[in-house]
Amino acid sequence: MSLYKKVTSYPFGKHIFSKMVARMAPYFGTVHPYINELKVNRCECLIKKRKKVQNHIGTVHVIAICNGLEMAMGTMAEASIPAHLRWIPKGMSVDYTAKAGTDILCVAEVTPEQWQVGDMLVDVKAYDTNGVVVVQGHIKLWISEKPKK
């Protein structure tokens, strides 16, 4: 969270921060994600509808959307997890609820009470520019204590 606040204080800071995150996990870069908003327990990541992320019918491919949802979740988790805990993803379950014919806003959100040792479900939703949910589901994380040094 401190890195986000520092970098976004500069001109084009959100763009720079988005590039930094995408470089940490290079596969995220394939959808050219843009971190639109980052707060503790919530992240919004924008995926522009471009030819490279479209499927055969001209909509944003659901795998690209899942990529954006995972980036939103991972960024939110890194910015939000209590210092004594760590996380690792265990799975993703999504439903395709509408055609994704526009830019897509991927949102990952949890409540503070969810940060407990064990399985944790992160709610994820993807919205088109009209506010219609095009993909919804959850990403399962395993939360554990950091080892003592």
Side-chain angles (χ1 to χ4, degrees), residues 14-100:
K14 287 183 180 181
H15 179 74
I16 294 166
F17 182 78
S18 299
K19 292 279 188 192
M20 291 170 67
V21 173
R23 289 193 77 174
M24 289 178 191
Y27 185 70
F28 290 147
T30 62
V31 296
H32 296 279
Y34 178 80
I35 302 295
N36 194 46
E37 178 183 60
L38 178 61
K39 296 191 275 188
V40 174
N41 299 320
R42 181 180 171 87
C43 181
E44 295 182 2
C45 175
L46 181 67
I47 299 172
K48 291 281 198 183
K49 182 183 176 192
R50 299 171 304 112
K51 188 70 173 163
K52 287 185 177 183
V53 297
Q54 290 180 34
N55 58 23
H56 65 288
I57 61 172
T59 60
V60 179
H61 197 287
V62 74
I63 297 303
I65 295 172
C66 288
N67 196 355
L69 290 170
E70 190 174 2
M71 180 167 172
M73 177 282 302
T75 306
M76 177 280 301
E78 284 298 311
S80 308
I81 193 166
H84 68 286
L85 298 175
R86 62 186 179 174
W87 65 274
I88 189 165
K90 286 180 67 176
M92 175 185 264
S93 176
V94 295
D95 294 316
Y96 316 155
T97 55
K99 287 184 180 180

